[in-house]
Amino acid sequence: MMKTKRFMLALLLASSVYAIPFSAFHSPSSLGIMAQNKQFTLEDLNFGGNNYRNMIPSSKYYTWWGDQLVRYDVEECFLVDKNKGTESVLLDTAMVNDIIRSYGQDIGQVRHMYNVTFPEAKKTLAQVNTGRRNVLLDWKTKQVVWVEKQVQGARVLDFCQASKASALLKGNNLYVVDAQGDERQLSTDGSRDIVYGQSVHRNEFGIDGGTFWSPDGQRLAFYRMDQTKVSDYPQVDIEARSAAYQPDKYPMAGEQSHDVTVGIYDLQTGKTIYLQTPKSNDTQRLPESGEMDGKAVYFTNVAWAPDGKTVYMFELNRDQNDCRLVAYDASTGVRLRELYRETSDKYVEPQHPITFLPWDATKFLFQSQRDGFNHLYLFDLNKGEYKQLTKGQWVVMDLVGFNEKTRSAIIVANQLSPIQRNTFAVNLKTAALTLLDNGRGYHSPQLSADGQWIVDSWSEPDVPRKIGVSPTTKQATKTLFTAENPWEGYEVPEYLCGTIKAADGVTDLYYRMVKPTHFDPNKRYPTIIYVYGGPHAHNVDARWNYCSRGWETYMAQKGYLLFILDNRGSENRGRDFEQATFRRLGQVEMQDQMQGVAFLKSLPYVDQDRIGVHGWSFGGFMTVSLMTNYPDVFKVGVAGGPVIDWKWYEVMYGERYMDTPQQNPEGYKQTSLIGKAKDLKGKLQIISGYNDNTVVPQHCLSFLYQCNIDGTQPDFYVYPGEGHNMMGHQSTHLHERISQYFDDYLGGKVIK
């Protein structure tokens, strides 16, 4: 929900705007641009729409081949001169397929150049995924030098360039196929209950996979997850002739969870060992919950020492307030030592593995919010000590890599503004910061292998997209590509950004406002608050049109004013900002959103009698919360995939922010919306995927059941076969439905 897998976005507050230059808060569309003739449709603006691809800023795909910049097109790949920006053809699909055919066996072919990558070790080699196998070919000698063995009925989980070995999943069991094509079976008990080599802990704690090759590719670390004690949630497959039972394993807050262990397979010895991780008696038991399941410890951010002899992991107790970085012997599984420990009266949330310095295997960087903001720390294994590198009331958002020549780390951070993302070099000796981009907007850099160059794709409120290349020692970007405005000739609304004070009267919150097209300040407009409000997400940043969603533009075209606010609890503003909602999800968030309502009501062009709210996932929870806690304020709401009671949400996320129902009964009672069903006054539509395995249907159905008892009248719509989000063109159908609901119950003529 909440994380990349999950929730959707936030809203509202009140007070004064920062004294920041006008250009920082207004996009060019707000500068009196002439009214245009073309009208947007949802097919243009929704990601599932038939014309959506033509309405987003165009781009070009650049990447690095060692320290050589490469640009991909569909059928060609070009070498790019970093200083001049000129290009020359390196490879094309016809050339690659000719080399593949010369192998003499049918091993597939490439349809586009995006399936071709370049291993850094040998610059004449190209790695090709033909759709059937991985192939290495020498494009100078025009020969295939290696072909991956094809294993029938198997899914490749992880291919290692260093050893040319692959981790595979076959019949629920884990296999490794080495460079010679020898197949080794690592497990025999794989099943729906016993899961190998895949993400665990429901993708929390930064987990996005379940296999981890050592740097030389001679050892494979992998997760083993025992879900035997986890309850099944009874999902239903309606496509079967008679609807079929299709359950999900779903561990709810305070209930039995899964057991995870970490195995290490050694290609040289052919043996598998398991790390000697803590047992259940090392983990606190939950009050009144009885014997908790197995190894109730979370293992995350698996990392290898450069020599492949030691494995490092962050380990977290179930209460998620005690985090430890631990080293293990990769050959025996023995726990070597605990290097670092971080505790909290709320929670600690490790999101990033340690990263060793390329030039010194005795030092690594780790990230922590221990001083209140996510920063870099340098750990010295010889001394057993660490020091803080970056400091300040801003957040390190990503560690991109290193420039070995200058002994610096390349990072992206919001040091210049909470809504920006800029690239810096951090000197590891002096901790000095050097800005590497233009100091504006939202940047996504890729680093060359030698760390001396970045290719950067960025956007600004008035810049749809630019791509440039620059050194990692100074601000000297050479622009390679500038996207045209794909909305040229359309009626575009005015996008504004500013700040108001949170309910604490101190904290600044950022908002985005989208004014109706043909805006007249002497009229009063129906207003929709779009809200997410939860952790690991934000809505407002310094990208094109302040990161406004296409649906907002569509509704502004129909005469609505849109308001979006990032309340406390959302991301990239520091630990205390995020943890203000601890044990009472939705309460502080609503207070902040109501500050936004107060701000809106202070504006003469907002119709105070026609305020609506819409959000999805955590935003759906916020929508129902606002509709029922402030029933006289919100006339219409549309809540998608809403959490109704946190006791029905999953263990890892739910217990981090709420503790368990046994530990925090008052918090669960206060935040539950079941008891609020009787307070619903306005028109509320709840929408859900019928097979949602993130916010399971029990949430919606339980709220509807209580509404039946209390005599309140929400509307309900489901998408059969869909999960937490509507995929493909069904998303366009969804947004048409949302729009129609506001038209029916909030719209109407603008009041003069």
Side-chain angles (χ1 to χ4, degrees):
M1 168 173 179
M2 322 169 177
K3 281 202 86 124
T4 50
K5 75 181 183 187
R6 357 208 186 209
F7 269 42
M8 287 217 354
L9 283 85
L11 229 10
L12 299 148
L13 282 183
S15 199
S16 59
V17 175
Y18 269 158
I20 293 179
F22 180 86
S23 59
F25 275 152
H26 296 76
S27 70
S29 56
S30 69
L31 305 183
I33 290 178
M34 293 177 60
Q36 306 295 321
N37 295 322
K38 291 185 181 179
Q39 297 283 307
F40 291 108
T41 70
L42 282 175
E43 298 292 354
D44 298 324
L45 295 174
N46 182 263
F47 73 86
N50 295 327
N51 196 43
Y52 177 73
R53 290 184 177 274
N54 296 321
M55 301 304 293
I56 58 175
S58 59
S59 186
K60 290 187 177 181
Y61 178 59
Y62 293 83
T63 189
W64 292 100
W65 169 33
D67 58 359
Q68 175 62 60
L69 184 59
V70 176
R71 183 178 74 81
Y72 283 84
D73 209 336
V74 177
E75 295 187 352
E76 293 178 307
C77 179
F78 304 87
L79 292 179
V80 182
D81 186 302
K82 297 187 290 290
N83 296 299
K84 299 178 181 179
T86 55
E87 300 180 346
S88 59
V89 176
L90 172 65
L91 286 174
D92 59 34
T93 54
M95 187 186 308
V96 171
N97 285 327
D98 283 345
I99 298 173
I100 291 173
R101 279 191 290 270
S102 71
Y103 183 68
Q105 296 182 23
D106 183 11
I107 54 175
Q109 61 180 5
V110 293
R111 296 183 178 180
H112 49 70
M113 287 303 299
Y114 300 112
N115 281 337
V116 180
T117 57
F118 300 96
E120 296 173 9
K122 295 182 179 180
K123 291 192 175 182
T124 63
L125 287 184
Q127 179 183 322
V128 181
N129 186 327
T130 68
R132 298 183 190 177
R133 311 187 197 185
N134 285 299
V135 176
L136 288 179
L137 56 85
D138 189 313
W139 53 270
K140 283 286 190 182
T141 64
K142 294 182 171 52
Q143 291 181 330
V144 173
V145 298
W146 177 80
V147 177
E148 180 182 45
K149 179 183 176 182
Q150 190 172 25
V151 179
Q152 295 295 328
R155 175 164 65 96
V156 177
L157 298 175
D158 199 353
F159 171 72
C160 180
Q161 287 186 351
S163 62
K164 303 185 185 66
S166 294
L168 311 171
L169 196 66
K170 182 180 178 182
N172 293 316
N173 282 304
L174 189 61
Y175 290 73
V176 164
V177 175
D178 64 18
Q180 291 72 44
D182 293 335
E183 185 177 317
R184 297 106 176 268
Q185 185 171 351
L186 276 59
S187 68
T188 58
D189 60 343
S191 65
R192 180 172 170 269
D193 286 328
I194 309 296
V195 179
Y196 285 94
Q198 299 178 68
S199 292
V200 298
H201 307 322
R202 294 186 65 83
N203 295 86
E204 297 291 340
F205 317 110
I207 296 172
D208 62 2
T211 55
F212 315 90
W213 285 105
S214 61
D216 62 3
Q218 294 305 308
R219 287 189 171 117
L220 176 73
F222 60 89
Y223 282 129
R224 179 187 187 273
M225 177 169 63
D226 184 346
Q227 302 186 103
T228 305
K229 299 176 183 177
V230 177
S231 298
D232 283 332
Y233 186 85
Q235 300 280 11
V236 176
D237 176 13
I238 66 166
E239 293 188 10
R241 172 62 179 83
S242 296
Y245 180 54
Q246 196 175 63
D248 290 323
K249 289 288 185 180
Y250 195 94
M252 290 185 179
E255 301 296 322
Q256 295 280 7
S257 188
H258 49 244
D259 296 345
V260 171
T261 48
V262 178
I264 308 287
Y265 177 75
D266 190 314
L267 268 72
Q268 298 298 314
T269 66
K271 294 181 179 179
T272 298
I273 58 96
Y274 281 86
L275 303 185
Q276 297 174 18
T277 49
K279 305 298 182 181
S280 58
N281 58 8
D282 297 320
T283 305
Q284 68 174 51
R285 294 178 182 171
L286 303 178
E288 303 175 11
S289 65
E291 194 77 34
M292 294 308 297
D293 58 307
K295 304 171 185 63
V297 175
Y298 300 126
F299 305 114
T300 185
N301 299 298
V302 175
W304 285 94
D307 63 6
K309 294 181 180 179
T310 309
V311 172
Y312 299 85
M313 287 194 310
F314 284 99
E315 300 178 356
L316 199 61
N317 64 334
R318 179 155 176 174
D319 211 35
Q320 300 186 46
N321 58 11
D322 189 343
C323 179
R324 307 171 191 231
L325 174 61
V326 181
Y328 289 89
D329 187 310
S331 61
T332 64
V334 170
R335 188 183 185 92
L336 298 175
R337 59 173 169 155
E338 179 183 308
L339 290 88
Y340 170 79
R341 184 179 182 185
E342 185 175 335
T343 60
S344 170
D345 60 350
K346 294 183 175 68
Y347 55 86
V348 182
E349 189 178 5
Q351 287 284 314
H352 309 278
I354 65 171
T355 306
F356 278 88
L357 306 190
W359 59 88
D360 189 345
T362 68
K363 295 183 176 67
F364 62 79
L365 295 182
F366 71 93
Q367 300 183 45
S368 170
Q369 292 196 101
R370 62 178 299 120
D371 80 335
F373 294 85
N374 192 59
H375 282 298
L376 293 182
Y377 295 79
L378 179 64
F379 195 101
D380 188 322
L381 285 169
N382 290 332
K383 297 179 180 179
E385 300 174 349
Y386 62 88
K387 66 176 182 178
Q388 186 170 356
L389 282 176
T390 58
K391 297 179 182 179
Q393 294 185 17
W394 48 274
V395 172
V396 173
M397 303 164 86
D398 192 17
L399 171 61
V400 182
F402 299 93
N403 182 337
E404 185 170 351
K405 185 177 180 180
T406 61
R407 295 296 196 261
S408 59
I410 311 303
I411 65 170
V412 290
N414 62 358
Q415 192 254 8
L416 299 178
S417 166
I419 65 171
Q420 290 186 192
R421 176 183 162 100
N422 299 100
T423 309
F424 299 85
V426 184
N427 186 291
L428 297 187
K429 184 176 182 180
T430 67
L433 285 177
T434 301
L435 178 66
L436 300 180
D437 60 37
N438 65 5
R440 303 186 300 274
Y442 212 80
H443 293 253
S444 299
Q446 295 182 63
L447 189 65
S448 63
D450 62 9
Q452 296 185 38
W453 293 85
I454 56 173
V455 61
D456 182 17
S457 176
W458 77 94
S459 173
E460 299 173 35
D462 57 352
V463 176
R465 180 177 288 116
K466 283 191 175 183
I467 301 173
V469 62
S470 67
T472 54
T473 54
K474 58 183 178 179
Q475 288 177 271
T477 301
K478 179 176 182 56
T479 301
L480 299 172
F481 172 75
T482 300
E484 298 293 330
N485 184 350
W487 292 3
E488 191 70 36
Y490 283 81
E491 289 190 348
V492 179
E494 180 181 0
Y495 306 91
L496 304 99
C497 177
T499 64
I500 59 176
K501 293 297 182 184
D504 63 5
V506 176
T507 306
D508 288 306
L509 304 176
Y510 284 82
Y511 70 81
R512 174 175 69 247
M513 182 182 291
V514 185
K515 290 185 176 180
T517 53
H518 309 297
F519 175 73
D520 182 345
N522 297 312
K523 296 180 179 179
R524 286 186 289 155
Y525 293 90
T527 297
I528 301 172
I529 294 168
Y530 178 74
V531 61
Y532 180 72
H536 294 289
H538 70 281
N539 280 318
V540 184
D541 61 45
R543 278 181 270 192
W544 188 41
N545 296 332
Y546 294 103
C547 203
S548 181
R549 302 167 64 245
W551 181 76
E552 296 164 21
T553 296
Y554 178 72
M555 296 303 283
Q557 181 180 270
K558 291 162 72 71
Y560 296 90
L561 184 144
L562 284 300
F563 185 76
I564 299 89
L565 181 86
D566 285 330
N567 51 244
R568 284 175 293 168
S570 55
E571 67 179 355
N572 296 336
R573 296 292 304 277
R575 181 193 61 203
D576 294 344
F577 185 95
E578 296 168 5
Q579 295 188 352
T581 66
F582 183 59
R583 292 186 122 221
R584 295 292 189 275
L585 284 178
Q587 307 311 298
V588 165
E589 299 94 319
M590 281 193 291
Q591 293 171 22
D592 285 354
Q593 292 294 333
M594 292 309 295
Q595 291 294 104
V597 171
F599 170 65
L600 289 171
K601 287 184 174 182
S602 73
L603 303 175
Y605 46 82
V606 169
D607 186 346
Q608 300 186 22
D609 296 324
R610 290 192 294 169
I611 296 177
V613 59
H614 165 50
W616 200 273
S617 198
F618 198 106
F621 164 67
M622 288 294 295
T623 296
V624 181
S625 296
L626 290 166
M627 288 287 294
T628 55
N629 281 275
Y630 302 93
D632 295 321
V633 173
F634 297 96
K635 183 177 180 181
V636 181
V638 179
V643 169
I644 295 297
D645 193 312
W646 289 101
K647 70 174 179 286
W648 294 318
Y649 200 66
E650 51 101 330
V651 164
M652 297 84 199
Y653 185 103
E655 293 182 2
R656 179 187 312 134
Y657 302 117
M658 289 289 292
D659 282 333
T660 67
Q662 298 93 332
Q663 294 168 312
N664 184 22
E666 289 303 313
Y668 276 83
K669 180 180 179 181
Q670 182 181 8
T671 59
S672 174
L673 298 174
I674 296 298
K676 294 291 183 179
K678 66 181 184 304
D679 299 321
L680 179 64
K681 288 185 179 179
K683 294 296 296 184
L684 172 64
Q685 177 173 224
I686 297 173
I687 305 175
S688 175
Y690 184 75
N691 298 93
D692 192 337
N693 62 358
T694 300
V695 182
V696 294
Q698 187 168 359
H699 289 271
C700 293
L701 298 177
S702 298
F703 185 77
L704 295 174
Y705 177 78
Q706 190 62 44
C707 287
N708 295 341
I709 295 173
D710 292 336
T712 50
Q713 296 285 345
D715 295 314
F716 185 53
Y717 191 84
V718 298
Y719 282 85
E722 291 294 298
H724 191 52
N725 296 295
M726 307 311 120
M727 298 293 102
H729 201 263
Q730 291 204 76
S731 176
T732 306
H733 181 278
L734 166 67
H735 284 84
E736 181 180 11
R737 182 169 194 87
I738 295 168
S739 305
Q740 184 180 25
Y741 201 78
F742 283 113
D743 287 346
D744 289 345
Y745 298 109
L746 191 68
K749 294 181 180 180
V750 174
I751 299 174
K752 296 183 180 181

